[in-house]
Amino acid sequence: MRTLLFFDLPTYTADDRKNYRKFVKLLKTSGFYMLQESVYCRMSIDQQMAEAISNKLRNQLPPEGNVMLLNVTEKQFSTMQILLGESKSDVLSSNDRI
């Protein structure tokens, strides 16, 4: 299962930029990797793990902006089409459990 996270955070003031950097650091330390700017992805073994990640993020959200989560199965994620650009080679794209 994959958890896709989409966010749009303000970066107008110094505090906004600090909150942005802090949130991105939280994502990276939580095992997310960047698919695109403001789109991150994380692999989860099951629904319970995805819920735990969701709860962890929910407790540390920035004060302003939009943050959305979408859980998809590995089969759904593997059907994603890249229309322009190249896929990253450091992305784990296997159905094997970790």
Side-chain angles (χ1 to χ4, degrees), residues 35-36 77-89 91 93:
L35 287 177
Q36 290 184 341
F77 185 80
S78 68
T79 62
M80 179 172 43
Q81 297 178 11
I82 299 173
L83 301 179
L84 180 65
E86 298 177 13
S87 65
K88 293 183 178 180
S89 61
V91 175
S93 58

PDB file of all heavy atoms in Angstrom, residues 35-36 77-89 91 93:
ATOM      1  N   LEU A  35       7.850  12.673  -4.920  1.00  0.00           N
ATOM      2  CA  LEU A  35       7.515  12.319  -6.298  1.00  0.00           C
ATOM      3  C   LEU A  35       7.617  13.555  -7.181  1.00  0.00           C
ATOM      4  O   LEU A  35       8.148  13.514  -8.284  1.00  0.00           O
ATOM      5  CB  LEU A  35       6.097  11.755  -6.398  1.00  0.00           C
ATOM      6  CG  LEU A  35       5.876  10.356  -5.866  1.00  0.00           C
ATOM      7  CD1 LEU A  35       4.409   9.993  -5.965  1.00  0.00           C
ATOM      8  CD2 LEU A  35       6.723   9.346  -6.601  1.00  0.00           C
ATOM      9  N   GLN A  36       7.050  14.627  -6.701  1.00  0.00           N
ATOM     10  CA  GLN A  36       7.103  15.939  -7.346  1.00  0.00           C
ATOM     11  C   GLN A  36       7.133  16.975  -6.230  1.00  0.00           C
ATOM     12  O   GLN A  36       6.934  16.637  -5.063  1.00  0.00           O
ATOM     13  CB  GLN A  36       5.859  16.195  -8.202  1.00  0.00           C
ATOM     14  CG  GLN A  36       5.776  15.368  -9.439  1.00  0.00           C
ATOM     15  CD  GLN A  36       4.561  15.762 -10.272  1.00  0.00           C
ATOM     16  OE1 GLN A  36       3.625  16.382  -9.779  1.00  0.00           O
ATOM     17  NE2 GLN A  36       4.583  15.398 -11.522  1.00  0.00           N
ATOM     18  N   PHE A  77      -0.951   1.901  -7.685  1.00  0.00           N
ATOM     19  CA  PHE A  77       0.226   2.755  -7.802  1.00  0.00           C
ATOM     20  C   PHE A  77       1.067   2.361  -9.013  1.00  0.00           C
ATOM     21  O   PHE A  77       1.617   3.210  -9.705  1.00  0.00           O
ATOM     22  CB  PHE A  77       1.065   2.663  -6.522  1.00  0.00           C
ATOM     23  CG  PHE A  77       2.233   3.603  -6.493  1.00  0.00           C
ATOM     24  CD1 PHE A  77       2.061   4.935  -6.165  1.00  0.00           C
ATOM     25  CD2 PHE A  77       3.506   3.152  -6.793  1.00  0.00           C
ATOM     26  CE1 PHE A  77       3.131   5.812  -6.134  1.00  0.00           C
ATOM     27  CE2 PHE A  77       4.591   4.017  -6.769  1.00  0.00           C
ATOM     28  CZ  PHE A  77       4.403   5.349  -6.437  1.00  0.00           C
ATOM     29  N   SER A  78       1.145   1.063  -9.291  1.00  0.00           N
ATOM     30  CA  SER A  78       1.973   0.598 -10.407  1.00  0.00           C
ATOM     31  C   SER A  78       1.381   0.958 -11.765  1.00  0.00           C
ATOM     32  O   SER A  78       2.085   0.914 -12.769  1.00  0.00           O
ATOM     33  CB  SER A  78       2.194  -0.912 -10.314  1.00  0.00           C
ATOM     34  OG  SER A  78       0.980  -1.606 -10.535  1.00  0.00           O
ATOM     35  N   THR A  79       0.108   1.324 -11.812  1.00  0.00           N
ATOM     36  CA  THR A  79      -0.501   1.714 -13.085  1.00  0.00           C
ATOM     37  C   THR A  79      -0.344   3.207 -13.372  1.00  0.00           C
ATOM     38  O   THR A  79      -0.829   3.679 -14.398  1.00  0.00           O
ATOM     39  CB  THR A  79      -2.002   1.362 -13.121  1.00  0.00           C
ATOM     40  OG1 THR A  79      -2.681   2.092 -12.100  1.00  0.00           O
ATOM     41  CG2 THR A  79      -2.226  -0.126 -12.942  1.00  0.00           C
ATOM     42  N   MET A  80       0.356   3.925 -12.490  1.00  0.00           N
ATOM     43  CA  MET A  80       0.586   5.349 -12.713  1.00  0.00           C
ATOM     44  C   MET A  80       1.404   5.523 -13.989  1.00  0.00           C
ATOM     45  O   MET A  80       2.396   4.831 -14.203  1.00  0.00           O
ATOM     46  CB  MET A  80       1.333   5.970 -11.527  1.00  0.00           C
ATOM     47  CG  MET A  80       1.615   7.430 -11.702  1.00  0.00           C
ATOM     48  SD  MET A  80       2.289   8.260 -10.234  1.00  0.00           S
ATOM     49  CE  MET A  80       3.484   7.114  -9.608  1.00  0.00           C
ATOM     50  N   GLN A  81       0.968   6.428 -14.834  1.00  0.00           N
ATOM     51  CA  GLN A  81       1.660   6.691 -16.100  1.00  0.00           C
ATOM     52  C   GLN A  81       2.461   7.981 -15.986  1.00  0.00           C
ATOM     53  O   GLN A  81       1.983   8.976 -15.469  1.00  0.00           O
ATOM     54  CB  GLN A  81       0.651   6.842 -17.233  1.00  0.00           C
ATOM     55  CG  GLN A  81      -0.161   5.601 -17.494  1.00  0.00           C
ATOM     56  CD  GLN A  81      -1.182   5.834 -18.590  1.00  0.00           C
ATOM     57  OE1 GLN A  81      -1.151   6.849 -19.282  1.00  0.00           O
ATOM     58  NE2 GLN A  81      -2.093   4.899 -18.746  1.00  0.00           N
ATOM     59  N   ILE A  82       3.675   7.929 -16.475  1.00  0.00           N
ATOM     60  CA  ILE A  82       4.505   9.128 -16.527  1.00  0.00           C
ATOM     61  C   ILE A  82       4.377   9.685 -17.938  1.00  0.00           C
ATOM     62  O   ILE A  82       4.823   9.061 -18.904  1.00  0.00           O
ATOM     63  CB  ILE A  82       5.969   8.798 -16.186  1.00  0.00           C
ATOM     64  CG1 ILE A  82       6.030   8.238 -14.770  1.00  0.00           C
ATOM     65  CG2 ILE A  82       6.833  10.039 -16.333  1.00  0.00           C
ATOM     66  CD1 ILE A  82       7.385   7.719 -14.370  1.00  0.00           C
ATOM     67  N   LEU A  83       3.740  10.825 -18.063  1.00  0.00           N
ATOM     68  CA  LEU A  83       3.471  11.411 -19.371  1.00  0.00           C
ATOM     69  C   LEU A  83       4.622  12.278 -19.858  1.00  0.00           C
ATOM     70  O   LEU A  83       4.847  12.390 -21.059  1.00  0.00           O
ATOM     71  CB  LEU A  83       2.180  12.224 -19.324  1.00  0.00           C
ATOM     72  CG  LEU A  83       0.934  11.431 -18.928  1.00  0.00           C
ATOM     73  CD1 LEU A  83      -0.277  12.349 -18.879  1.00  0.00           C
ATOM     74  CD2 LEU A  83       0.696  10.274 -19.872  1.00  0.00           C
ATOM     75  N   LEU A  84       5.330  12.889 -18.945  1.00  0.00           N
ATOM     76  CA  LEU A  84       6.456  13.739 -19.319  1.00  0.00           C
ATOM     77  C   LEU A  84       7.498  13.638 -18.224  1.00  0.00           C
ATOM     78  O   LEU A  84       7.172  13.675 -17.043  1.00  0.00           O
ATOM     79  CB  LEU A  84       6.007  15.196 -19.465  1.00  0.00           C
ATOM     80  CG  LEU A  84       7.071  16.210 -19.848  1.00  0.00           C
ATOM     81  CD1 LEU A  84       7.610  15.915 -21.245  1.00  0.00           C
ATOM     82  CD2 LEU A  84       6.506  17.613 -19.795  1.00  0.00           C
ATOM     83  N   GLY A  85       8.747  13.507 -18.577  1.00  0.00           N
ATOM     84  CA  GLY A  85       9.813  13.385 -17.596  1.00  0.00           C
ATOM     85  C   GLY A  85      10.249  11.945 -17.454  1.00  0.00           C
ATOM     86  O   GLY A  85       9.845  11.066 -18.213  1.00  0.00           O
ATOM     87  N   GLU A  86      11.066  11.703 -16.450  1.00  0.00           N
ATOM     88  CA  GLU A  86      11.594  10.376 -16.207  1.00  0.00           C
ATOM     89  C   GLU A  86      11.282   9.949 -14.789  1.00  0.00           C
ATOM     90  O   GLU A  86      11.172  10.770 -13.896  1.00  0.00           O
ATOM     91  CB  GLU A  86      13.112  10.378 -16.410  1.00  0.00           C
ATOM     92  CG  GLU A  86      13.530  10.743 -17.823  1.00  0.00           C
ATOM     93  CD  GLU A  86      15.039  10.801 -17.963  1.00  0.00           C
ATOM     94  OE1 GLU A  86      15.749  10.323 -17.059  1.00  0.00           O
ATOM     95  OE2 GLU A  86      15.502  11.331 -18.970  1.00  0.00           O
ATOM     96  N   SER A  87      11.171   8.651 -14.591  1.00  0.00           N
ATOM     97  CA  SER A  87      10.946   8.151 -13.240  1.00  0.00           C
ATOM     98  C   SER A  87      12.272   8.134 -12.492  1.00  0.00           C
ATOM     99  O   SER A  87      13.339   7.990 -13.085  1.00  0.00           O
ATOM    100  CB  SER A  87      10.331   6.750 -13.274  1.00  0.00           C
ATOM    101  OG  SER A  87      11.252   5.842 -13.835  1.00  0.00           O
ATOM    102  N   LYS A  88      12.194   8.276 -11.180  1.00  0.00           N
ATOM    103  CA  LYS A  88      13.400   8.246 -10.355  1.00  0.00           C
ATOM    104  C   LYS A  88      13.828   6.801 -10.155  1.00  0.00           C
ATOM    105  O   LYS A  88      13.002   5.926  -9.935  1.00  0.00           O
ATOM    106  CB  LYS A  88      13.127   8.891  -8.996  1.00  0.00           C
ATOM    107  CG  LYS A  88      12.867  10.366  -9.072  1.00  0.00           C
ATOM    108  CD  LYS A  88      12.681  10.925  -7.680  1.00  0.00           C
ATOM    109  CE  LYS A  88      12.463  12.411  -7.723  1.00  0.00           C
ATOM    110  NZ  LYS A  88      12.281  12.971  -6.391  1.00  0.00           N
ATOM    111  N   SER A  89      15.122   6.563 -10.208  1.00  0.00           N
ATOM    112  CA  SER A  89      15.624   5.210 -10.054  1.00  0.00           C
ATOM    113  C   SER A  89      15.740   4.794  -8.591  1.00  0.00           C
ATOM    114  O   SER A  89      15.872   3.616  -8.302  1.00  0.00           O
ATOM    115  CB  SER A  89      16.980   5.071 -10.742  1.00  0.00           C
ATOM    116  OG  SER A  89      17.901   5.958 -10.149  1.00  0.00           O
ATOM    117  N   VAL A  91      13.419   4.987  -6.388  1.00  0.00           N
ATOM    118  CA  VAL A  91      12.095   4.671  -5.882  1.00  0.00           C
ATOM    119  C   VAL A  91      11.919   3.165  -5.861  1.00  0.00           C
ATOM    120  O   VAL A  91      12.177   2.480  -6.851  1.00  0.00           O
ATOM    121  CB  VAL A  91      11.004   5.332  -6.758  1.00  0.00           C
ATOM    122  CG1 VAL A  91       9.623   4.893  -6.300  1.00  0.00           C
ATOM    123  CG2 VAL A  91      11.131   6.829  -6.706  1.00  0.00           C
ATOM    124  N   SER A  93       9.963   0.125  -6.358  1.00  0.00           N
ATOM    125  CA  SER A  93       8.757  -0.183  -7.125  1.00  0.00           C
ATOM    126  C   SER A  93       8.566  -1.683  -7.214  1.00  0.00           C
ATOM    127  O   SER A  93       8.441  -2.267  -8.272  1.00  0.00           O
ATOM    128  CB  SER A  93       8.860   0.420  -8.539  1.00  0.00           C
ATOM    129  OG  SER A  93      10.006  -0.100  -9.174  1.00  0.00           O
TER     130      SER A  93
END
